[in-house]
Amino acid sequence: MTSKVKINLEYIINCSPKVLYNRLSTASGLTEWFADDVRVRGKRYTFIWDGSEQTAEMTLHKENRLVRFSWLEEEEGSYFEFKITRDELTGDVSLLITDFAEEDEIDETRGLWDSQVADLKHVLGS
């Protein structure tokens, strides 16, 4: 079994942290851009893509700043995280995404996030 590599991505998003946080932390918000459907039961989020399901637990959240989901079926410590930052000088809002991928899947994973964040920007009118 190969270990996964941490990937950090950054995207400028033209909206308020509060609006962005809603799209990152709620079932309805995530369904708009991240998955075909999302079911929530407590802290457990079941993400559905093309009929297949993956379940994660929201293990960390700070309102309007951070959301972390830890995969339940993956190896220990496997998670993805959304962090919202605002540049003090310019006021630009950035979405920082942390994810993990196999060494030979890094480019594919980056491409997938690029596509999903493009959908997010479209939904936000950003």
Side-chain angles (χ1 to χ4, degrees):
M1 183 165 108
T2 61
S3 63
K4 293 188 175 187
V5 177
K6 186 185 240 185
I7 303 170
N8 294 303
L9 305 164
E10 181 174 1
Y11 303 92
I12 302 294
I13 308 285
N14 295 318
C15 74
S16 73
K18 183 177 183 176
V19 169
L20 181 55
Y21 181 80
N22 183 59
R23 295 305 192 292
L24 306 176
S25 62
T26 66
S28 60
L30 288 161
T31 300
E32 288 186 58
W33 69 280
F34 183 69
D36 298 334
D37 194 18
V38 180
R39 291 192 306 263
V40 180
R41 182 165 286 175
K43 290 185 174 187
R44 288 191 173 204
Y45 286 64
T46 301
F47 300 100
I48 301 163
W49 293 279
D50 297 325
S52 70
E53 297 183 2
Q54 276 191 286
T55 303
E57 185 172 324
M58 184 187 286
T59 52
L60 188 60
H61 66 94
K62 295 180 183 176
E63 191 167 350
N64 301 331
R65 293 192 337 216
L66 177 75
V67 183
R68 177 183 288 180
F69 294 97
S70 297
W71 293 114
L72 299 181
E73 298 90 6
E74 301 280 327
E75 62 189 62
E76 188 70 29
S78 183
Y79 66 90
F80 65 99
E81 179 179 277
F82 303 122
K83 185 174 183 182
I84 302 168
T85 63
R86 173 174 260 155
D87 186 286
E88 290 183 26
L89 294 176
T90 65
D92 288 344
V93 173
S94 293
L95 173 60
L96 307 172
I97 298 175
T98 301
D99 196 3
F100 293 84
E102 301 288 340
E103 192 79 50
D104 61 348
E105 295 177 350
I106 292 173
D107 290 339
E108 181 182 337
T109 300
R110 286 180 192 275
L112 181 60
W113 280 115
D114 287 348
S115 174
Q116 287 184 296
V117 171
D119 290 346
L120 173 62
K121 287 181 173 186
H122 179 74
V123 165
L124 293 168
S126 173

